[in-house]
Amino acid sequence: MPSSPSRRRLLQVAGGGLVAAPLAYGGWQWLAPQDGSGTQGSSTGTTTGKPASAASEQSYLHVIAHADDGIYFMNPDLEQSIRSGALSVTVCMTSGESDGRNAAPKSPQFKSLPTDRPGFARARINGLRAAHALMATGDDNSPWSVEPVELLPGFRSELHYLQAAPHVQLIYMGLCEARYVSVPRPVSMRGLWLGAIEQLPTLPGTGSPVRMPRAYTRDQLTDALVATIGRVNPTVIRTLDPTPLHAPRETVAMMSAPTILRGLSYLDHQDHTASARFMQAAMERYWGAGKGRAASVTNYFGYPTNYTPPSLDAATTRRTAQLLNAYGWVDHRDCGDPSGCGDLKVGPNGLKAGGAGWARGTRTRAPGTSRWLAPLKDGRLAAFAVLNGAVRCWVERVAGQGPWVGPFDVVGSAGSPLDPQVEVVRHPDGTLQLFATRTVLPFKGNKHHKELVCVLQSGLGADGVPRFGAWTSLGTPDANPDKSLETGYPATALAPDGTVHVLARNWAGDVAMRSGRGGKDWGPWQLLDHPPGKQPPHPLVVEGIDALVDPSGRIHVAAPIAKTVLHWVSPAPGELPKLSPPTGVTPAGSAVSLVADGRGGVSAVYRQAGTAQVAVASPGGPGAPWTVARRTPAGGYGRVAAYRLGGKGGSLVLAVRDDGGRVVPSSDESAQPAWESPGVQFVGIPGAAQDSAGRAVLAVIGTDGRLYASRQTRPGARFGEWAPAGNESAGNHV
């Protein structure tokens, strides 16, 4: 086992990912976890993927509220980050002290246990260390070192690093948790966010090197997170969901709370939501000062994964169970700490009761689409992504050939950072239009709300890079600011006459549509109908809709719900879509992608719940169930990128995330096609488009913040190597 690094070395590694170069991927594979046979294998769903670049060029920051949040909600992404060899830091904001009893509530010993909140906090820390050690080294008893670290002068947190893998680090801020899922308690992060308290105290765990409790104001907590971003200098930031789903009815506790604490009741834990909102504020402050290298952001569903079909396959779920067993101290191993070596409230129940859905599903708040890659008027492809809260652009220097260069800053600020994904529409005259969402935080006199925004291309710069005008707000289907926060990620569809249709999930879980000729002159939001009969279950649609206009001009919309996939279609070109007869397909474990079927109709592409197997479903005829062609399992999770090449007999191109977090393409038309060789690890959704030579091009944003692209060698053929975009001159790119 490697010797422990010095304190100076530790602080260097903690202070910036760039000095972690000795832990680059090539020298790190020996520490990768092994399967039961003692060999590395992919059956766990955590295969180490090909890194986007050297470990020194990327780093990961995970911000959670409680010790088990990353295991439940961010895996398999969390483990892939840890195993990449790059700096991976998990910040746990609360102490997680709960009721101070380290036992399952229904266990015989629960009532006889004394309340020991510092002790239970320490046991949860030990459990998370065991799970991280298992992910990094395969040994849940691999030793850690811990010491105090000041994120702000005078404010100390615990910094833990794994001795055998010092790039794996944990920061415990130790704030008092809310202790209730939804009961509005002033002494909580939510109370601090709303101004119900001026300061939130910390609760150090037993034996903590942080001896004295401190209390953070809202600004100080935000600044501490800003300082953490600066230390890690991440290329990937992961948080919980800042805008979760509301509960179907208000609780008595919420209705009777003091005015400042009242609000909607949500299906997620209030600490989850508050941790993500404080990170939103920190990122806005950090990026507003022009700091940091290019970083992507992903927000993960918390408890509402229980209301969606399982998105992970059996192998990945088994791996999550192994990690939860380590965290929950199932083997009662001796870690040398009398406070306990794990969280017995989870214990062997990680895949049971309330946690069953959490462990079987990974969902993101902004699932994105593959429509972020499009040709300019001159045939050169342009790619767009949100980095550091703003849209960045890459372009081909020569149409159909490359090389790709960028990223360029091509559009001004939307007034506050954009949410993680962007979508591009190409108008009939070749003009591009971008669509995104932004969340306005409740500062500087603003009400907390979300809105859809768009911006039209204004021309090309002298350097051949597209330029855009000013962002325009499209509002949201719900005018109420609180309700607007639950607006879903938008889907766009372009009609032959140049009308742009924008669709999004509203607060109630229905789908709403707004249309504008030429991407302007927008009409009002209109609600699509929902299944007849009794009131639909709450929530009907959670996330992951898509839209497409067929050659006849009819608008198609698809949305996954708990038991099936819904389909709407316009009775006539341009009319509001109406709900079709039931598709009859089994539940989707991902967002749904609509793609032309090559015969004038549409197909729906998605992952089947619980298997991660890709399905391509098509209407079976008037009133008949849809037929499903099942495709070879690829592992992984998330939306399938689907693109139909133009021209007669154009093939269907798919791209997915595999069980190593890598992009994997397929362009075989058979029912059981072979997936091609995997490319780099990436974030978001693969983008797809057709180049000037008629070949499909796929692009991803790597975990290092760079664009990577692959092109078919000829139309319909296999894809070539994944190549990174070259950097342009300073001042034009991030």
Side-chain angles (χ1 to χ4, degrees):
M1 179 179 296
S3 60
S4 301
S6 67
R7 181 176 187 276
R8 179 180 178 85
R9 168 64 178 158
L10 165 66
L11 294 178
Q12 286 178 330
V13 174
L18 294 179
V19 297
L23 295 173
Y25 173 84
W28 180 247
Q29 287 184 329
W30 71 277
L31 282 174
Q34 299 176 332
D35 62 23
S37 66
T39 60
Q40 294 181 20
S42 60
S43 61
T44 62
T46 56
T47 305
T48 301
K50 179 182 178 182
S53 62
S56 61
E57 296 178 12
Q58 56 193 307
S59 55
Y60 301 84
L61 176 60
H62 310 88
V63 179
I64 57 178
H66 312 115
D68 54 354
D69 292 342
I71 304 170
Y72 272 123
F73 308 125
M74 295 182 181
N75 259 326
D77 295 346
L78 172 63
E79 182 164 11
Q80 289 160 5
S81 303
I82 288 172
R83 295 181 61 181
S84 72
L87 179 65
S88 178
V89 179
T90 296
V91 177
C92 186
M93 292 185 67
T94 78
S95 186
E97 70 274 14
S98 186
D99 57 13
R101 298 180 181 183
N102 194 8
K106 295 183 179 180
S107 63
Q109 65 269 34
F110 178 77
K111 291 185 178 180
S112 63
L113 279 177
T115 297
D116 180 7
R117 288 192 166 96
F120 183 50
R122 177 57 51 196
R124 297 190 74 177
I125 293 171
N126 289 335
L128 184 54
R129 297 202 322 181
H132 273 66
L134 184 61
M135 288 187 273
T137 71
D139 178 10
D140 55 8
N141 269 325
S142 191
W144 293 74
S145 294
V146 58
E147 62 180 64
V149 61
E150 286 193 347
L151 301 176
L152 293 180
F155 289 80
R156 289 188 166 190
S157 298
E158 294 181 20
L159 173 62
H160 301 245
Y161 68 95
L162 191 58
Q163 293 178 10
H167 73 285
V168 178
Q169 300 176 18
L170 308 173
I171 295 176
Y172 274 87
M173 299 184 73
L175 295 159
C176 287
E177 69 158 37
R179 301 181 186 174
Y180 299 94
V181 173
S182 56
V183 174
R185 184 170 178 262
V187 183
S188 64
M189 281 196 290
R190 178 176 181 269
L192 186 65
W193 177 264
L194 294 175
I197 54 173
E198 292 186 2
Q199 293 181 310
L200 179 62
T202 59
L203 194 157
T206 299
S208 172
V210 179
R211 302 297 184 188
M212 297 295 294
R214 290 296 303 262
Y216 288 83
T217 66
R218 186 167 73 172
D219 271 348
Q220 287 169 338
L221 182 52
T222 303
D223 283 339
L225 292 172
V226 168
T228 304
I229 299 172
R231 291 175 66 87
V232 179
N233 198 14
T235 55
V236 175
I237 297 175
R238 294 173 174 142
T239 80
L240 298 172
D241 186 1
T243 53
L245 300 169
H246 70 282
R249 60 188 61 86
E250 292 302 328
T251 63
V252 173
M254 184 63 74
M255 291 187 292
S256 59
T259 302
I260 196 169
L261 286 171
R262 288 181 196 166
L264 296 173
S265 297
Y266 292 95
L267 294 174
D268 207 354
H269 197 296
Q270 59 184 304
D271 284 342
H272 296 171
T273 307
S275 71
R277 290 180 176 176
F278 270 107
M279 263 304 287
Q280 280 185 314
M283 289 185 290
E284 180 171 328
R285 188 171 296 182
Y286 185 74
W287 292 330
K291 297 179 179 179
R293 52 184 174 178
S296 64
V297 178
T298 304
N299 310 123
Y300 294 80
F301 274 31
Y303 290 172
T305 50
N306 265 342
Y307 297 83
T308 62
S311 63
L312 302 176
D313 61 16
T316 307
T317 301
R318 286 195 299 270
R319 178 58 174 175
T320 300
Q322 293 173 353
L323 300 174
L324 289 170
N325 285 345
Y327 169 79
W329 198 16
V330 169
D331 62 359
H332 294 284
R333 65 191 178 281
D334 181 8
C335 65
D337 192 329
S339 293
C341 304
D343 182 353
L344 294 176
K345 290 185 186 298
V346 171
N349 298 311
L351 296 182
K352 300 176 183 178
W358 311 339
R360 291 185 170 93
T362 299
R363 302 264 179 172
T364 60
R365 168 50 61 199
T369 72
S370 59
R371 293 185 293 271
W372 51 272
L373 193 63
L376 299 166
K377 289 183 179 181
D378 59 12
R380 293 177 300 126
L381 291 175
F384 301 87
V386 176
L387 298 173
N388 295 8
V391 169
R392 309 300 182 190
C393 173
W394 295 259
V395 294
E396 287 184 303
R397 276 304 184 207
V398 179
Q401 298 181 32
W404 289 87
V405 290
F408 299 93
D409 185 359
V410 297
V411 58
S413 169
S416 59
L418 296 171
D419 294 335
Q421 305 291 336
V422 65
E423 184 155 342
V424 60
V425 167
R426 187 179 192 268
H427 289 275
D429 67 355
T431 299
L432 304 185
Q433 188 170 19
L434 308 180
F435 292 81
T437 61
R438 70 175 190 133
T439 303
V440 179
L441 297 177
F443 307 134
K444 301 177 182 178
N446 294 317
K447 287 186 176 294
H448 196 185
H449 70 280
K450 181 178 285 190
E451 60 183 10
L452 278 69
V453 292
C454 64
V455 62
L456 271 167
Q457 183 185 354
S458 58
L460 285 179
D463 55 2
V465 177
R467 297 291 185 263
F468 291 81
W471 290 95
T472 299
S473 174
L474 296 178
T476 58
D478 298 289
N480 178 284
D482 288 338
K483 292 183 177 181
S484 75
L485 290 171
E486 293 181 53
T487 302
Y489 181 79
T492 60
L494 179 70
D497 65 359
T499 298
V500 179
H501 305 287
V502 179
L503 298 102
R505 175 196 183 275
N506 74 346
W507 178 81
D510 289 317
V511 178
M513 185 177 84
R514 192 175 189 189
S515 305
R517 189 70 176 267
K520 299 177 288 187
D521 303 323
W522 297 94
W525 286 100
Q526 302 177 79
L527 284 180
L528 275 57
D529 55 340
H530 53 238
K534 64 180 182 179
Q535 185 71 14
H538 175 80
L540 177 64
V541 177
V542 173
E543 193 59 272
I545 68 172
D546 202 7
L548 179 149
V549 175
D550 67 25
S552 72
R554 296 188 306 163
I555 309 165
H556 294 259
V557 182
I561 62 173
K563 295 183 178 180
T564 188
V565 173
L566 299 181
H567 172 244
W568 293 262
V569 63
S570 303
E575 292 186 2
L576 188 72
K578 299 294 182 183
L579 189 65
S580 303
T583 62
V585 303
T586 55
S590 69
V592 177
S593 297
L594 284 179
V595 65
D597 64 5
R599 301 182 299 276
V602 301
S603 296
V605 185
Y606 56 92
R607 295 176 184 268
Q608 292 196 311
T611 68
Q613 185 167 261
V614 175
V616 180
S618 303
W626 288 35
T627 59
V628 178
R630 290 173 174 81
R631 297 194 165 241
T632 307
Y637 75 93
R639 181 170 237 145
V640 180
Y643 185 84
R644 176 75 63 178
L645 285 172
K648 186 176 180 180
S651 62
L652 176 63
V653 173
L654 304 177
V656 297
R657 171 183 283 102
D658 76 353
D659 60 6
R662 303 163 296 189
V663 57
V664 182
S666 169
S667 55
D668 190 337
E669 278 293 294
S670 65
Q672 298 291 340
W675 297 102
E676 298 182 22
S677 299
V680 298
Q681 289 182 324
F682 70 102
V683 295
I685 307 300
Q690 188 167 341
D691 71 8
S692 59
R695 298 168 296 185
V697 175
L698 294 172
V700 295
I701 302 301
T703 50
D704 59 356
R706 300 175 71 185
L707 179 85
Y708 290 78
S710 178
R711 195 185 311 264
Q712 289 179 328
T713 54
R714 56 180 173 77
R718 294 175 67 85
F719 285 84
E721 287 292 317
W722 289 86
N727 288 328
E728 266 293 351
S729 59
N732 287 328
H733 61 86
V734 178

